[in-house]
Amino acid sequence: MKKYTLIFLALGMSHFLFADPPTPPVGKRWVLNPDFSDEFNGTELDASKWFNYHPNWKGRKPGLFLPSQVSVKNGYMQIRGEKMEKDTIIHAYGKDMTFNIAGGAVVSKKSVYLGYYECRSKAAATTMSTTFWFSGGGGVGPNECDTYKQEWDIQECIGRGGDFKGDYFAYGMHSNAHYWYTDCDGEKHDHRAAQVRFEDSELASEDFHVYGGWWRDDVSASYYYDNRPPKHQQFYNKVSDKPMDKPMYMRLVSETYPFPWIELPNDEELADTTKNTVYYDWVRGYKLVDVDAPNDSDLNLESEIGLYDENVSFPSATYELSSSETLKIPFTFQANEDREIELKLHDPEGKVVAKTVASVYAGYGNMVFDFEVGQTLEAKAGYKLVASVLPAGGEKTNKLDTSTLILDLKN
């Protein structure tokens, strides 16, 4: 097998430098998962996807989850924190509990295993939380007399600081993973992975930010804050070597945190409509499928919301020949609909020496394509490879995006 080293100049490089979601593995493609994606552009919460309450948690005292605090309007899902007119006593978990602050929770009706998830949100300017997390699953532990539950927190924050230990929660992104473990003696443990943090000098309530998490496998996750490089996490695995092995439910929650770690919100900020509301612009879930697998649904959310600035990019600096007449071309693409990627190879004199088309399905894919050039290429500088995104079966002059590489081919 011959190997060529190439020096490249790519047009439109920002496409893959700021790809959202992260670049999928070779041979895979991200597609939107409709059960965990919502643009919140209607007038009410989509009851086919979401509960407007938490099915098995009333809230952390003194904050009670109430459906009345959840709304969808002006392009956002909103959760409003407020002081309740009077104390409310609820009997739950075998005891009476007193609540006097109203918060809210939105919970997915379906559970999911693995994938990439992101939301764009703006925190309330109070000490009530703005969160994006998953929990559920678990079951019998590895010793068969023990049990466990899972929790994966992509983002937890508050919208203002103060003179309390958890003041740092008002800035940046904070990601956790819990292995809630009950051993064979009935003792409960909160086993945590090392927290991942992205620091920021701006309060989480000052502007919208994008928070993303890639649940890669049973033992690891990666986290994404706006366009910053990712950070990675290994789940706690001292009890089980597969601590996150079951599906979980998505949660979008505004709750009260335990005092004195974070102080409770005051009456003034809870009464201020410019401060007391969390805004979720959208939430998106992605699943990995084979790059050449047709979509398994008639839904095409990528096209419906215009998710991608459609493009093709060359992410690799080394190409290999599987034979003297076949180039193995790695590239990524982002497509809102099924498309064609046209590849043209120009020799150093500018003549087109080979042309082909690769058909791709909607989504964000990473693939290696066998480009049959039909002739043995000379080892010299100045070859140009041009890739263009075209409508599938449509007008071939209507190019949606073009990227170019300049290649120096060497034996």
Side-chain angles (χ1 to χ4, degrees), residues 256-316:
T256 50
Y257 278 126
F259 178 82
W261 180 62
I262 289 178
E263 69 183 23
L264 292 174
N266 59 55
D267 292 355
E268 181 181 359
E269 64 192 13
L270 287 175
D272 188 337
T273 57
T274 68
K275 295 180 178 180
N276 67 4
T277 303
V278 180
Y279 296 90
Y280 291 90
D281 186 10
W282 45 255
V283 59
R284 294 167 185 163
Y286 301 80
K287 55 185 177 181
L288 279 176
V289 300
D290 290 340
V291 73
D292 56 357
N295 290 318
D296 59 4
S297 170
D298 293 334
L299 295 174
N300 188 349
L301 292 180
E302 287 86 352
S303 178
E304 182 179 316
I305 65 176
L307 179 62
Y308 297 116
D309 179 13
E310 297 186 90
N311 65 86
V312 57
S313 295
F314 299 100
S316 175

Side-chain angles (χ1 to χ4, degrees), residues 198-386:
F198 292 84
E199 295 184 358
D200 198 328
S201 60
E202 180 181 87
L203 286 168
S205 58
E206 289 184 19
D207 204 350
F208 283 89
H209 295 277
V210 176
Y211 308 100
W214 183 355
W215 182 9
R216 289 177 174 267
D217 49 39
D218 296 341
V219 297
S220 66
S222 298
Y223 300 96
Y224 302 80
Y225 178 56
D226 292 337
N227 283 326
R228 297 189 187 184
K231 295 185 178 182
H232 310 288
Q233 181 185 66
Q234 294 293 312
F235 300 140
Y236 181 89
N237 62 358
K238 301 295 176 55
V239 174
S240 169
D241 57 1
K242 293 183 177 181
M244 296 286 188
D245 62 343
K246 298 291 193 303
M248 292 189 279
Y249 295 87
M250 181 186 287
R251 329 281 192 181
L252 308 170
V253 175
S254 183
E255 64 192 270
T256 50
Y257 278 126
F259 178 82
W261 180 62
I262 289 178
E263 69 183 23
L264 292 174
N266 59 55
D267 292 355
E268 181 181 359
E269 64 192 13
L270 287 175
D272 188 337
T273 57
T274 68
K275 295 180 178 180
N276 67 4
T277 303
V278 180
Y279 296 90
Y280 291 90
D281 186 10
W282 45 255
V283 59
R284 294 167 185 163
Y286 301 80
K287 55 185 177 181
L288 279 176
V289 300
D290 290 340
V291 73
D292 56 357
N295 290 318
D296 59 4
S297 170
D298 293 334
L299 295 174
N300 188 349
L301 292 180
E302 287 86 352
S303 178
E304 182 179 316
I305 65 176
L307 179 62
Y308 297 116
D309 179 13
E310 297 186 90
N311 65 86
V312 57
S313 295
F314 299 100
S316 175
T318 301
Y319 289 2
E320 295 181 354
L321 288 180
S322 58
S323 72
S324 60
E325 297 182 355
T326 303
L327 280 169
K328 299 187 83 66
I329 306 296
F331 63 84
T332 64
F333 65 88
Q334 293 180 331
N336 293 322
E337 300 179 16
D338 295 349
R339 298 298 189 193
E340 292 179 350
I341 308 296
E342 179 188 70
L343 297 170
K344 287 184 179 181
L345 183 65
H346 301 253
D347 67 16
E349 287 70 44
K351 179 183 176 181
V352 176
V353 295
K355 182 173 73 171
T356 192
V357 170
S359 296
V360 299
Y361 293 107
Y364 178 18
N366 187 355
M367 64 186 296
V368 178
F369 182 75
D370 287 338
F371 188 178
E372 303 288 346
V373 298
Q375 59 184 290
T376 301
L377 300 175
E378 296 183 56
K380 56 170 34 175
Y383 284 93
K384 182 170 70 172
L385 181 64
V386 179

